[in-house]
Amino acid sequence: MNIENHPIFQPTELWNQKLINRTVVAPMTRVSATVEGLATDEMAHYYSAFAEGGFGIIITEGIYTDNFSSQGYPNQPGLVTPNQVNAWRKVTQSIKRYQTLIFAQLMHSGALSQYIPKTFAPSAVQPIGVQASAYGGEGNFLLPAALSMDEISRLQKEFILSAVNAYQAVFDGVEIHGANGYLLDQFLTPELNKRTDRYGGNMQNRFRIIAELIAGIRKEVPTHFIIGLRISEGKVNDMTYRWKDGAVTAKELLAEVKTASPDFVHVAVQTGEWERDSFYPNESSLASIAREVTGLPVIANGGLHQLDKAAIALDEQHADLIAIGKAALVDPHWPIKTLKEIPTVAFHRDMLWPEATISHSQKIIKQLAEV
């Protein structure tokens, strides 16, 4: 196949927007904001490079949504205060001269917070695994406190306000982070959600908090503002976790997603291998089930910078868009360089170790390029 004819590089139209291609920068935790949670000039350069490099959509790192329970990491950015909104506006404005959309990923860390001294979750269940040192953590996760109904109401109100703040910061939309083991995924996970009220039990109840967030955001933002949802099986602290009933659970969850009606579904894999982590014995994938059940645009990720795999995902209708993480981190000009068949630098673990900051990654990338 001629690279120029590859489906990943073909323009498309979604949400009444003309996209230059089907590439998406996957959300990647960068812990490079100020102590006050302000996006920096370094972050503006980091994100605008993806737009300059030809990506169709950028999804930011996880952004915390309140000042009492949501922040997961030191130097994580927020969208809570006016100063944080103004700081993010500098980032979005740096991208507006390109034909690239940017979505703010809104994230509540829940029991996986490595920052706040008292963590919160659907139920008082201690997470397995250990905190990530690359993001400033060490040792076991804390035993979280179970959220009260009043606390759920409060975090929902502030989550919705953070989406309004994203609109004020001139983002094109938001992605609700319901994946990878963070708070909203904790509600979805029966092993972590032992509640007996309206937020626990069957899938409808476990999904309720997400449905209410989507509905609440819809009421507060213009109709053109895009609202997406990220889901996954694996978790950052438990990469091998899978739903016991596989495709059955996927269909139950996605039936609720369809009813809530976000503008897209982003299916994430935790280990970076789409084919290994996304497929069920009947040869369906979580992404293809999402597309089939919801009828919504679907973003898939997991090593799909490999063009043969990306072609399968798009041509066989598993997904509409392809999110690229590590390859984008290494080279923000990946779309343009790949189209021109210019070699790119290969990803190396040291780019995210011992710290996953923008400055550290760029230092290692520069060192490897000079070798």
Side-chain angles (χ1 to χ4, degrees), residues 70-331:
S70 65
Q71 186 171 351
Y73 309 106
N75 298 102
Q76 180 184 5
L79 261 172
V80 181
T81 69
N83 285 343
Q84 290 171 348
V85 172
N86 289 334
W88 272 114
R89 193 176 289 124
K90 293 179 182 179
V91 177
T92 59
Q93 288 178 340
S94 73
I95 291 166
K96 292 305 174 182
R97 63 182 183 271
Y98 303 100
Q99 292 180 289
T100 301
L101 304 182
I102 182 168
F103 302 155
Q105 187 191 70
L106 302 181
M107 165 186 158
H108 192 301
S109 58
L112 296 189
S113 176
Q114 300 184 171
Y115 179 77
I116 60 177
K118 179 182 178 181
T119 58
F120 296 85
S123 302
V125 178
Q126 186 172 11
I128 67 171
V130 295
Q131 297 184 30
S133 59
Y135 302 117
E138 62 179 356
N140 296 330
F141 291 98
L142 300 176
L143 175 66
L147 287 159
S148 68
M149 295 297 280
D150 286 344
E151 287 166 338
I152 290 175
S153 178
R154 177 183 175 185
L155 75 83
Q156 284 181 306
K157 289 177 181 177
E158 299 207 24
F159 200 108
I160 292 166
L161 180 58
S162 71
V164 175
N165 287 341
Y167 171 70
Q168 296 295 334
V170 203
F171 282 97
D172 297 292
V174 293
E175 176 176 273
I176 297 171
H177 198 345
N180 303 119
Y182 297 108
L183 181 74
L184 300 181
D185 185 38
Q186 291 160 27
F187 271 92
L188 293 176
T189 304
E191 293 88 346
L192 303 176
N193 183 349
K194 305 295 185 181
R195 302 180 74 95
T196 57
D197 57 21
R198 65 197 299 265
Y199 293 107
N202 61 30
M203 180 63 78
Q204 183 180 32
N205 282 354
R206 300 201 309 273
F207 186 78
R208 188 184 305 277
I209 188 170
I210 298 175
E212 291 174 346
L213 286 174
I214 293 171
I217 294 169
R218 285 261 185 244
K219 291 179 181 179
E220 300 296 332
V221 296
T223 55
H224 69 268
F225 192 70
I226 299 161
I227 304 170
L229 173 65
R230 192 182 211 212
I231 61 171
S232 72
E233 290 191 72
K235 308 175 190 309
V236 293
N237 63 314
D238 189 0
M239 293 188 181
T240 61
Y241 177 87
R242 296 292 180 271
W243 298 322
K244 291 180 180 178
D245 294 326
V248 174
T249 299
K251 290 178 180 179
E252 290 178 355
L253 169 59
L254 288 157
E256 298 301 324
V257 174
K258 179 180 181 180
T259 299
S261 191
D263 292 308
F264 67 85
V265 181
H266 183 178
V267 176
V269 299
Q270 192 54 51
T271 66
E273 291 295 334
W274 174 67
E275 291 174 309
R276 182 179 67 192
D277 293 351
S278 293
F279 280 78
Y280 301 111
N282 64 2
E283 297 187 0
S284 65
S285 68
L286 180 53
S288 68
I289 294 173
R291 213 165 178 268
E292 175 186 353
V293 173
T294 68
L296 297 168
V298 171
I299 303 173
N301 79 339
L304 296 179
H305 62 286
Q306 300 173 69
L307 294 182
D308 55 339
K309 295 183 179 182
I312 292 171
L314 293 169
D315 288 340
E316 296 185 7
Q317 299 187 344
H318 293 274
D320 302 270
L321 301 168
I322 299 298
I324 296 171
K326 292 175 182 176
L329 173 68
V330 173
D331 198 329

Side-chain angles (χ1 to χ4, degrees), residues 14-91:
L14 293 172
W15 319 299
N16 295 317
Q17 298 270 3
K18 292 182 179 179
L19 304 181
I20 57 174
N21 55 44
R22 297 170 186 262
T23 62
V24 179
V25 177
M28 293 178 280
T29 303
R30 302 281 73 211
V31 290
S32 296
T34 68
V35 174
E36 298 81 16
L38 304 178
T40 63
D41 289 343
E42 179 185 56
M43 292 169 65
H45 292 311
Y46 167 77
Y47 282 112
S48 63
F50 295 120
E52 181 183 66
F55 280 93
I57 298 173
I58 300 166
I59 304 177
T60 71
E61 62 208 278
I63 301 172
Y64 67 83
T65 56
D66 63 57
N67 281 327
F68 79 98
S69 66
S70 65
Q71 186 171 351
Y73 309 106
N75 298 102
Q76 180 184 5
L79 261 172
V80 181
T81 69
N83 285 343
Q84 290 171 348
V85 172
N86 289 334
W88 272 114
R89 193 176 289 124
K90 293 179 182 179
V91 177

